């Protein structure tokens, strides 16, 4: 396992420096009363467990205040996935389809490990599932506990019933699954008002999420993108879906469906350093304590999400129009920002996104 490369990936994703090092097992075990494999704070730094190395613990660490709780959770989930990748490589294969999917998984992992994102899927692998026609890519991450296991056979059977046809299922990492569904799903829209491709993909993600939560092993997150030709774009798609999953879980913590076209601003903001984010908030909002008011935060988020429509926001929040206007006027008086104007709405929208990743709980 190339942990140094994983460290570099974490630094690129989160925009902060990680250190790789060893901690004496005795010191590690004395720091908290919990399982040795759990991450913890040591000497003012948050240490993420990698593996046990004799009498030491191999870990990567970051200054404790540099990550939000949600970012720490994402790092732990990512490291857990990498740790179990090697275990999955020796997992017994019980069907021909599963064996073929493991070959594709291994090829994807090898290419991405080398930083290759544009290689074409070899014909020997593409022919296994006839991956020559466009497919809808969906990335599923299961938030189930380690005690609950999802088998390839059970999930494949469930997905084929949901899609009412053949799908390709590739287990990328532990709890992470790539689904390639038929493009024809976008041509099966219901009657009435015509839907866009984005609307249909969003609806597909919502329906799949609802089914998996009910019929699978619990909560999960789904990233979905436009149809693609797997033989040419599979690597780029996996990378793009993982990025959407990370951005969505970081900036849109209330969402379970993550789509790249809805996360373009988040992608632009994510590489900005922590200090610059904090300075922007202080200069724009002036009164950041206002965002600790759940009612005010919800009002601003809904107002911006509904294109600054007073009537639609009042209906969504089940409040009188005058109550909404009172809240917006109060925010204007405290900050000087009138979110009913385009320029100020943009500033507040950016500030709300940055606030989610800089606030401390």
């Amino acid at each position: 396992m190339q942990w140094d490369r994983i460290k570099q990936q974490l630094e690129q994703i989160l925009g902060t420096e990680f250190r790789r090092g060893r901690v004496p097992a005795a010191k590690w075990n004395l720091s908290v009363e919990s399982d040795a494999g759990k991450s913890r704070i040591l000497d003012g730094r948050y240490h993420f467990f990698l593996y046990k190395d004799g009498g030491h613990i191999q870990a990567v660490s970051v200054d404790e205040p540099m990550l939000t709780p949600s970012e720490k959770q994402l790092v732990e989930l990512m490291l857990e996935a990498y740790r179990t990748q090697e275990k999955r490589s020796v997992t017994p294969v019980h069907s021909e389809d599963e064996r073929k999917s493991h070959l594709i998984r291994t090829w994807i992992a090898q290419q991405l490990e080398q930083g290759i994102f544009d290689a074409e899927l070899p014909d020997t692998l593409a022919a296994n599932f006839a991956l020559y026609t466009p497919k809808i890519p969906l990335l599923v991450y299961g938030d189930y506990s380690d005690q609950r296991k999802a088998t390839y056979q059970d999930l494949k059977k469930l997905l084929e019933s949901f899609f009412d046809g053949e799908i390709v299922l590739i287990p990328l990492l532990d709890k992470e699954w790539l689904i390639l569904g038929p493009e024809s799903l976008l041509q099966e829209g219901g009657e009435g008002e015509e839907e866009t491709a984005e609307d249909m993909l969003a609806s597909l993600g919502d329906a799949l999420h609802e089914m998996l939560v009910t019929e699978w092993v619990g909560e999960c997150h789904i990233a979905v993108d436009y149809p693609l030709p797997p033989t040419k774009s599979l690597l780029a798609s996996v990378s793009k879906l993982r990025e959407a999953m990370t951005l969505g879980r970081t900036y849109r913590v209330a969402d379970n469906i993550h789509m790249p076209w809805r996360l373009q601003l988040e992608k632009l903001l994510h590489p900005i350093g922590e200090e610059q984010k904090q300075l922007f908030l202080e200069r724009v909002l002036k009164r950041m304590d206002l965002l600790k008011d759940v009612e005010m935060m919800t009002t601003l988020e809904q107002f911006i999400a509904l294109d600054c429509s007073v009537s639609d926001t009042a209906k969504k929040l089940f409040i009188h129009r005058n109550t909404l206007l009172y809240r917006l006027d109060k925010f204007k008086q405290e900050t000087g920002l009138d979110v009913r104007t385009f320029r100020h709405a943009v500033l507040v929208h950016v500030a709300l996104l940055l606030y989610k990743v800089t606030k401390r709980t």
Side-chain angles (χ1 to χ4, degrees):
M1 186 70 67
Q2 298 186 24
W3 291 110
D4 288 334
R5 179 165 180 80
I6 295 170
K7 168 182 168 294
Q8 294 174 2
Q9 292 175 343
L10 289 173
E11 291 176 337
Q12 292 172 358
I13 293 172
L14 296 172
T16 190
E17 180 185 4
F18 283 78
R19 296 179 190 169
R20 169 84 185 278
R22 297 197 307 168
V23 178
K27 180 178 180 180
W28 183 274
N29 293 330
L30 286 174
S31 62
V32 292
E33 295 180 2
S34 65
D35 181 76
K38 300 297 181 182
S39 302
R40 63 206 58 203
I41 299 174
L42 292 170
D43 302 325
R45 295 181 64 82
Y46 199 88
H47 287 67
F48 295 93
F49 177 88
L50 296 181
Y51 59 91
K52 190 172 182 180
D53 179 17
H56 291 80
I57 300 296
Q58 289 282 350
V60 290
S61 66
V62 63
D63 283 341
E64 202 279 325
M66 293 303 294
L67 300 183
T68 66
S70 62
E71 288 173 332
K72 291 175 183 176
Q73 183 181 22
L74 283 175
V75 173
E76 289 173 350
L77 290 172
M78 179 179 175
L79 293 177
E80 177 188 353
Y82 277 112
R83 279 196 298 272
T84 56
Q85 182 177 354
E86 290 183 331
K87 297 179 182 178
R88 291 190 63 87
S89 64
V90 295
T91 300
V93 174
H94 303 286
S95 70
E96 184 64 12
D97 274 358
E98 186 173 2
R99 184 189 69 80
K100 293 175 181 177
S101 71
H102 275 242
L103 292 175
I104 296 178
R105 182 208 66 182
T106 300
W107 179 80
I108 291 174
Q110 290 174 345
Q111 299 303 308
L112 296 181
E113 182 73 18
Q114 298 175 52
I116 300 173
F117 300 94
D118 56 357
E120 294 190 9
L121 188 66
D123 284 339
T124 53
L125 298 179
N128 286 334
F129 294 106
L131 297 177
Y132 300 104
T133 58
K135 305 288 185 183
I136 299 174
L138 302 104
L139 187 69
V140 175
Y141 184 87
D143 269 341
Y144 48 85
S145 67
D146 292 335
Q147 285 69 40
R148 305 182 70 178
K149 297 298 181 183
T151 67
Y152 179 93
Q153 293 85 356
D154 289 343
L155 182 55
K156 180 87 181 301
K157 182 178 179 180
L158 192 62
L159 291 170
E160 287 180 339
S161 175
F162 172 80
F163 287 103
D164 192 24
E166 289 289 329
I167 58 99
V168 177
L169 178 64
I170 303 170
L172 295 178
L173 298 172
D174 190 49
K175 303 183 183 181
E176 184 187 54
W177 308 78
L178 176 66
I179 303 167
L180 299 176
E183 186 186 24
S184 59
L185 290 170
L186 298 185
Q187 302 166 4
E188 300 173 357
E191 299 179 358
E193 186 175 336
E194 185 175 347
E195 288 187 297
T196 65
E198 289 83 2
D199 290 336
M200 287 188 282
L201 288 169
S203 296
L204 176 63
D206 286 331
L208 178 60
H209 174 260
E210 182 178 353
M211 184 278 291
L212 290 176
V213 169
T214 304
E215 304 292 338
W216 197 29
V217 287
E219 191 54 81
C220 64
H221 285 260
I222 297 173
V224 58
D225 199 9
Y226 299 109
L228 59 89
T231 53
K232 296 184 178 298
S233 307
L234 190 59
L235 290 174
S237 180
V238 169
S239 179
K240 188 176 181 182
L241 290 172
R242 282 177 170 171
E243 180 184 55
M245 185 81 74
T246 298
L247 292 173
R249 298 191 67 176
T250 301
Y251 291 90
R252 298 183 177 232
V253 294
D255 294 346
N256 291 91
I257 313 301
H258 313 293
M259 291 157 284
W261 57 86
R262 291 185 180 176
L263 296 163
Q264 296 182 48
L265 181 57
E266 289 84 349
K267 181 178 180 178
L268 184 66
L269 297 175
H270 200 59
I272 299 175
E274 186 80 9
E275 184 177 350
Q276 286 71 30
K277 291 175 181 176
Q278 192 68 37
L279 286 173
F280 179 88
L281 286 172
E282 293 172 357
R283 290 170 181 170
V284 171
L285 291 181
K286 299 180 179 66
R287 287 280 312 279
M288 282 196 297
D289 59 298
L290 288 173
L291 298 185
K292 295 180 180 180
D293 182 339
V294 176
E295 185 179 80
M296 179 62 76
M297 184 79 161
T298 302
T299 298
L300 293 171
E301 287 185 325
Q302 290 297 329
F303 185 70
I304 292 172
L306 294 170
D307 297 325
C308 301
S309 169
V310 173
S311 57
D312 289 347
T313 305
K315 291 178 182 178
K316 179 75 173 181
L317 296 176
F318 301 103
I319 60 177
H320 193 277
R321 176 188 178 93
N322 290 343
T323 301
L324 173 60
L325 292 175
Y326 169 77
R327 293 179 187 175
L328 299 181
D329 286 337
K330 178 182 177 182
F331 184 76
K332 179 181 178 182
Q333 292 172 4
E334 297 288 350
T335 65
L337 298 170
D338 185 355
V339 291
R340 285 165 288 191
T341 66
F342 174 78
R343 185 168 67 88
H344 285 178
V346 170
L347 288 174
V348 173
H349 181 37
V350 172
L352 291 177
L353 289 173
L354 295 181
Y355 178 74
K356 292 179 181 179
V357 295
T358 57
K359 66 179 180 180
R360 298 291 174 254
T361 59

Tab-separated table of all heavy atoms in Angstrom, residues 23-32 40 42-43 47 55:
chain	number	residue	atom	x	y	z
A	23	VAL	N	4.200	6.530	15.875
A	23	VAL	CA	3.932	6.860	17.277
A	23	VAL	C	4.103	5.589	18.088
A	23	VAL	O	3.569	4.533	17.702
A	23	VAL	CB	2.494	7.399	17.461
A	23	VAL	CG1	2.213	7.699	18.933
A	23	VAL	CG2	2.262	8.634	16.600
A	24	PRO	N	4.852	5.629	19.191
A	24	PRO	CA	4.978	4.424	20.013
A	24	PRO	C	3.603	3.896	20.408
A	24	PRO	O	2.715	4.668	20.808
A	24	PRO	CB	5.770	4.918	21.233
A	24	PRO	CG	6.552	6.085	20.713
A	24	PRO	CD	5.645	6.751	19.712
A	25	ALA	N	3.416	2.602	20.289
A	25	ALA	CA	2.112	2.011	20.588
A	25	ALA	C	1.673	2.302	22.013
A	25	ALA	O	0.481	2.521	22.278
A	25	ALA	CB	2.161	0.507	20.336
A	26	ALA	N	2.621	2.330	22.951
A	26	ALA	CA	2.270	2.598	24.346
A	26	ALA	C	1.669	3.998	24.498
A	26	ALA	O	0.673	4.194	25.187
A	26	ALA	CB	3.514	2.455	25.226
A	27	LYS	N	2.281	4.984	23.838
A	27	LYS	CA	1.765	6.356	23.890
A	27	LYS	C	0.412	6.440	23.208
A	27	LYS	O	-0.514	7.115	23.687
A	27	LYS	CB	2.755	7.300	23.214
A	27	LYS	CG	2.304	8.759	23.206
A	27	LYS	CD	3.362	9.645	22.554
A	27	LYS	CE	2.929	11.102	22.538
A	27	LYS	NZ	3.954	11.976	21.906
A	28	TRP	N	0.286	5.755	22.076
A	28	TRP	CA	-0.981	5.762	21.332
A	28	TRP	C	-2.115	5.183	22.175
A	28	TRP	O	-3.207	5.734	22.250
A	28	TRP	CB	-0.805	4.954	20.044
A	28	TRP	CG	-2.002	4.930	19.143
A	28	TRP	CD1	-3.051	4.068	19.212
A	28	TRP	CD2	-2.267	5.807	18.044
A	28	TRP	NE1	-3.959	4.346	18.212
A	28	TRP	CE2	-3.505	5.406	17.487
A	28	TRP	CE3	-1.588	6.873	17.466
A	28	TRP	CZ2	-4.068	6.040	16.377
A	28	TRP	CZ3	-2.140	7.508	16.362
A	28	TRP	CH2	-3.360	7.097	15.830
A	29	ASN	N	-1.856	4.051	22.819
A	29	ASN	CA	-2.897	3.365	23.579
A	29	ASN	C	-3.269	4.092	24.862
A	29	ASN	O	-4.376	3.928	25.375
A	29	ASN	CB	-2.457	1.937	23.904
A	29	ASN	CG	-2.352	1.081	22.661
A	29	ASN	OD1	-3.068	1.282	21.690
A	29	ASN	ND2	-1.431	0.111	22.678
A	30	LEU	N	-2.343	4.914	25.383
A	30	LEU	CA	-2.631	5.643	26.615
A	30	LEU	C	-3.416	6.925	26.369
A	30	LEU	O	-3.976	7.499	27.293
A	30	LEU	CB	-1.321	5.995	27.335
A	30	LEU	CG	-0.608	4.841	28.044
A	30	LEU	CD1	0.736	5.319	28.585
A	30	LEU	CD2	-1.478	4.303	29.178
A	31	SER	N	-3.457	7.388	25.115
A	31	SER	CA	-4.046	8.703	24.834
A	31	SER	C	-5.551	8.735	25.052
A	31	SER	O	-6.109	9.717	25.513
A	31	SER	CB	-3.728	9.134	23.399
A	31	SER	OG	-4.301	8.216	22.484
A	32	VAL	N	-6.239	7.663	24.723
A	32	VAL	CA	-7.684	7.590	24.949
A	32	VAL	C	-8.056	6.162	25.275
A	32	VAL	O	-7.335	5.223	24.955
A	32	VAL	CB	-8.498	8.047	23.708
A	32	VAL	CG1	-8.331	9.512	23.436
A	32	VAL	CG2	-8.123	7.224	22.497
A	40	ARG	N	-6.982	9.871	16.869
A	40	ARG	CA	-7.000	10.609	18.139
A	40	ARG	C	-6.075	11.824	18.090
A	40	ARG	O	-5.304	11.990	17.138
A	40	ARG	CB	-6.559	9.691	19.274
A	40	ARG	CG	-5.126	9.209	19.114
A	40	ARG	CD	-4.901	7.890	19.803
A	40	ARG	NE	-5.805	6.887	19.297
A	40	ARG	CZ	-6.151	5.785	19.970
A	40	ARG	NH1	-5.651	5.565	21.170
A	40	ARG	NH2	-6.958	4.903	19.454
A	42	LEU	N	-2.938	13.871	19.516
A	42	LEU	CA	-1.677	13.705	20.242
A	42	LEU	C	-0.822	14.941	20.002
A	42	LEU	O	-0.596	15.323	18.844
A	42	LEU	CB	-0.924	12.468	19.755
A	42	LEU	CG	-1.535	11.085	20.053
A	42	LEU	CD1	-0.783	10.008	19.291
A	42	LEU	CD2	-1.509	10.804	21.539
A	43	ASP	N	-0.362	15.569	21.079
A	43	ASP	CA	0.537	16.726	20.980
A	43	ASP	C	-0.030	17.825	20.084
A	43	ASP	O	0.690	18.433	19.279
A	43	ASP	CB	1.914	16.294	20.470
A	43	ASP	CG	2.564	15.240	21.359
A	43	ASP	OD1	2.366	15.322	22.591
A	43	ASP	OD2	3.246	14.354	20.829
A	47	HIS	N	-4.233	12.717	14.726
A	47	HIS	CA	-3.555	11.595	14.076
A	47	HIS	C	-4.581	10.605	13.534
A	47	HIS	O	-5.475	10.159	14.254
A	47	HIS	CB	-2.635	10.870	15.068
A	47	HIS	CG	-1.389	11.627	15.411
A	47	HIS	ND1	-1.408	12.820	16.130
A	47	HIS	CD2	-0.076	11.372	15.118
A	47	HIS	CE1	-0.151	13.248	16.282
A	47	HIS	NE2	0.651	12.397	15.682
A	55	GLY	N	6.031	-2.346	17.402
A	55	GLY	CA	5.689	-1.618	18.618
A	55	GLY	C	5.285	-0.184	18.353
A	55	GLY	O	5.245	0.631	19.283
